[in-house]
């Protein structure tokens, strides 16, 4: 599972993601946000049933299918030359992501349970896996930006061999037995989905965690897509994009490695009070003071990126039953996708009418308002 986590995404693409789509597939930034919103809806529609299917046929089979589809989707990106190529690629990405969603986390969590490991062990494992992935992205980013100066397609082609690794290792996984779970038939599919949704809805703590993650996920996705346009807006040459991505990925790596220690010292309460403001405040500052030096404020979002997944995954795991764990995780992913889709669509319209800087400032303000509202309910649900 460690190798799958590290090589799950294209290593040489992140630092030039948006400008490569704009130039190779000839799409505007507004069109990219709109396309992403539509594809997130596709993932939303199929996320919950695929999570229930993982509880029925097994997590390993779902991961294998997801990685096959994921590898195919990137081939379309690597050779894109028209907008419809990115539509096909993103639709395949949505389907592959839905097959992997919930199944990967549930497989790791149940392996920890089978080995009699507690939530802190899972948090450390998830943090280590995320950290190594961030470190690999960071080290590859300068290479990608220098290659992109000669040809934007070179970094994409260089990423292809590494995407074979998670596909091959998926076949080698061993799925642990689930505690007290009988083999289900396809006939039980809808009942499995229903139980997972009920488990999600009846616990206010899971709902709160889900909404908190929605704010982080939606705002981070919007902000990430704005990295390249913002760097261009403030006049940064493309060769520097990779060095900035190196810094932000090293920050994410350090956060994931030492995040569990920091969170243990701070406690859950302080941690949830600071994560979202680390996203909202820098966005506002970058949009109101658009100079090259402000581009470095993206490191704060990547501090959250490093700490976020291990922290909230282990929190959620405390309240889940093994029999519906993958389904509940997929329900969470679906709700997050719904919020992200609406947010991306709204941002695309705002971007078209108001421009990049005003849109970013609006995003930052909305994020901080959402945070204040969530903190009000934290004190009610987590006493």
């Amino acid at each position: 599972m460690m190798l799958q986590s590290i090589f799950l995404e294209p290593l040489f693409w992140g630092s030039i993601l948006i400008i490569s789509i704009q130039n190779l597939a000839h799409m505007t930034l507004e069109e990219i946000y709109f396309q992403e919103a539509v594809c997130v809806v596709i993932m939303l529609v199929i996320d919950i049933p695929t999570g229930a299917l993982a509880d029925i046929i097994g997590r390993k089979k779902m991961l294998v299918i997801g990685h096959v589809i994921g590898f195919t989707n990137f081939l379309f990106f690597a050779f894109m030359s028209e907008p419809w190529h990115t539509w096909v690629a993103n639709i395949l990405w949505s389907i592959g992501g839905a097959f992997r969603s919930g199944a990967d986390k549930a497989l790791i969590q149940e392996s920890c349970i089978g080995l009699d490991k507690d939530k802190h062990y899972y948090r450390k494992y998830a943090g280590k896996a995320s950290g190594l992935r961030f470190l690999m992205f960071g080290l590859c980013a300068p290479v990608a930006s220098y290659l992109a100066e000669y040809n934007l397609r070179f970094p994409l082609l260089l990423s292809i061999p590494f995407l074979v690794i998670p596909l091959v290792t998926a076949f080698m996984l061993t799925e642990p037995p689930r505690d007290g779970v009988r083999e289900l038939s396809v006939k039980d599919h809808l009942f499995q989905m229903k139980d997972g949704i009920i488990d999600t809805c009846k616990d206010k703590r899971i709902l709160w965690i889900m909404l908190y993650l929605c704010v982080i996920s939606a705002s981070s996705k919007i902000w990430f897509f704005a990295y390249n346009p913002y760097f261009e807006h403030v006049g940064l040459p493309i060769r520097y994009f990779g060095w900035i991505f190196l810094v932000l990925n090293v920050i994410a790596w350090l956060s994931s490695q030492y995040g569990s220690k920091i969170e243990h010292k701070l406690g859950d309460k302080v941690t949830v009070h600071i994560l979202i403001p680390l996203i909202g405040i820098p966005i506002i500052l970058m949009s109101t003071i658009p100079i090259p030096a402000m581009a470095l404020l993206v490191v704060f979002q990547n501090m959250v990126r490093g700490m976020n997944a291990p922290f909230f995954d282990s929190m959620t795991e405390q309240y889940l039953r093994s029999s519906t764990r993958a389904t509940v995780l997929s329900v969470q992913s679906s709700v997050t996708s719904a919020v992200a889709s609406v947010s991306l669509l709204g941002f695309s319209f705002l971007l078209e009418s108001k421009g990049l800087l005003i849109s970013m400032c609006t995003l930052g303000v909305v994020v901080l308002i959402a945070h204040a509202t969530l903190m009000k309910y934290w004190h009610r649900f987590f006493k």
Side-chain angles (χ1 to χ4, degrees):
M1 290 299 291
M2 186 71 74
L3 288 175
Q4 290 196 38
S5 298
I6 296 171
F7 297 103
L8 180 61
E9 299 174 15
L11 290 179
F12 296 91
W13 197 23
S15 61
I16 49 100
L17 170 65
I18 300 302
I19 60 171
S20 64
I21 295 176
Q22 288 177 310
N23 288 276
L24 295 177
H26 311 293
M27 296 182 67
T28 66
L29 185 59
E30 294 83 1
E31 289 172 337
I32 294 172
Y33 273 107
F34 177 77
Q35 182 183 88
E36 186 69 15
V38 172
C39 291
V40 168
V41 170
I42 295 173
M43 180 180 285
L44 168 64
V45 172
I46 61 177
D47 214 358
I48 296 177
T50 52
L53 190 59
D55 287 327
I56 295 170
I57 70 171
R59 284 80 157 115
K60 178 180 176 178
K61 292 178 182 177
M62 296 296 290
L63 287 175
V64 169
I65 295 170
H67 284 306
V68 170
I69 297 172
F71 182 77
T72 305
N73 99 67
F74 187 71
L75 292 180
F76 275 92
F77 275 127
F79 297 99
M80 61 185 166
S81 59
E82 297 180 33
W84 74 265
H85 294 161
T86 66
W87 276 104
V88 173
N90 265 316
I91 290 171
L92 289 174
W93 169 82
S94 300
I95 297 171
F99 270 81
R100 293 192 306 267
S101 176
D104 51 359
K105 292 177 183 177
L107 186 58
I108 296 172
Q109 289 172 358
E110 287 173 1
S111 297
C112 291
I113 293 172
L115 295 170
D116 198 26
K117 302 294 184 179
D118 60 15
K119 68 172 184 176
H120 298 294
Y121 179 88
Y122 171 76
R123 188 177 294 187
K124 289 179 182 178
Y125 174 89
K128 184 178 180 180
S130 298
L132 289 173
R133 183 173 70 252
F134 298 148
L135 188 59
M136 288 293 292
F137 285 156
L139 294 174
C140 293
V143 176
S145 62
Y146 277 105
L147 287 174
E149 283 201 315
Y150 294 96
N151 190 314
L152 279 168
R153 201 178 299 278
F154 285 167
L156 280 69
L157 298 176
L158 187 59
S159 298
I160 292 175
F162 296 95
L163 292 175
V164 177
I165 296 174
L167 176 59
V168 172
T169 55
F171 285 97
M172 302 167 62
L173 292 174
T174 300
E175 184 169 353
R178 286 174 280 163
D179 48 299
V181 181
R182 66 180 180 86
E183 290 296 321
L184 298 175
S185 66
V186 177
K187 197 173 176 181
D188 295 320
H189 192 171
L190 293 176
F191 293 103
Q192 185 74 26
M193 288 175 58
K194 181 192 72 174
D195 289 344
I197 294 171
I198 290 174
D199 276 5
T200 303
C201 295
K202 71 182 180 182
D203 194 320
K204 291 181 180 179
R205 292 167 298 185
I206 292 180
L207 285 173
W208 187 93
I209 293 170
M210 185 189 304
L211 292 174
Y212 195 98
L213 289 173
C214 284
V215 176
I216 290 180
S217 176
S219 58
S220 296
K221 185 179 282 287
I222 292 172
W223 194 10
F224 177 76
F225 280 15
Y227 281 3
N228 283 176
Y230 184 83
F231 296 165
E232 289 184 305
H233 182 86
V234 297
L236 281 174
I238 190 172
R239 72 178 71 93
Y240 295 138
F241 290 16
W243 292 106
I244 293 176
F245 268 73
L246 170 60
V247 172
L248 64 86
N249 276 291
V250 168
I251 294 295
W253 171 64
L254 291 172
S255 298
S256 65
Q257 294 303 293
Y258 299 102
S260 60
K261 294 181 181 179
I262 296 171
E263 292 155 4
H264 182 69
K265 290 182 179 180
L266 294 178
D268 291 349
K269 181 178 179 180
V270 175
T271 302
V272 297
H273 273 76
I274 64 174
L275 290 183
I276 291 179
L278 285 176
I279 295 175
I281 294 173
I283 293 176
I284 295 173
L285 291 174
M286 288 174 66
S287 61
T288 52
I289 312 173
I291 59 174
M294 298 303 285
L296 291 174
L297 290 183
V298 299
V299 300
F300 290 103
Q301 187 259 334
N302 286 275
M303 289 174 62
V304 178
R305 178 180 164 213
M307 296 171 64
N308 173 44
F311 176 67
F312 284 106
D313 285 350
S314 62
M315 277 188 70
T316 305
E317 192 272 336
Q318 299 176 59
Y319 313 117
L320 300 181
R321 293 186 291 126
S322 176
S323 59
T324 57
R325 183 175 282 112
T327 310
V328 171
L329 292 173
S330 280
V331 170
Q332 290 187 350
S333 180
S334 293
V335 173
T336 302
S337 296
V339 174
S341 179
V342 173
S343 302
L344 287 163
L345 191 59
F347 194 81
S348 70
F349 290 131
L350 187 63
L351 195 62
E352 190 171 8
S353 59
K354 300 297 182 181
L356 180 63
L357 297 183
I358 293 178
S359 300
M360 286 179 61
C361 188
T362 304
L363 172 65
V365 171
V366 170
V367 163
L368 293 180
I369 292 173
H371 173 70
T373 305
L374 283 166
M375 287 304 98
K376 187 169 140 186
Y377 289 96
W378 162 268
H379 300 288
R380 296 184 189 178
F381 300 154
F382 297 86
K383 294 182 180 179

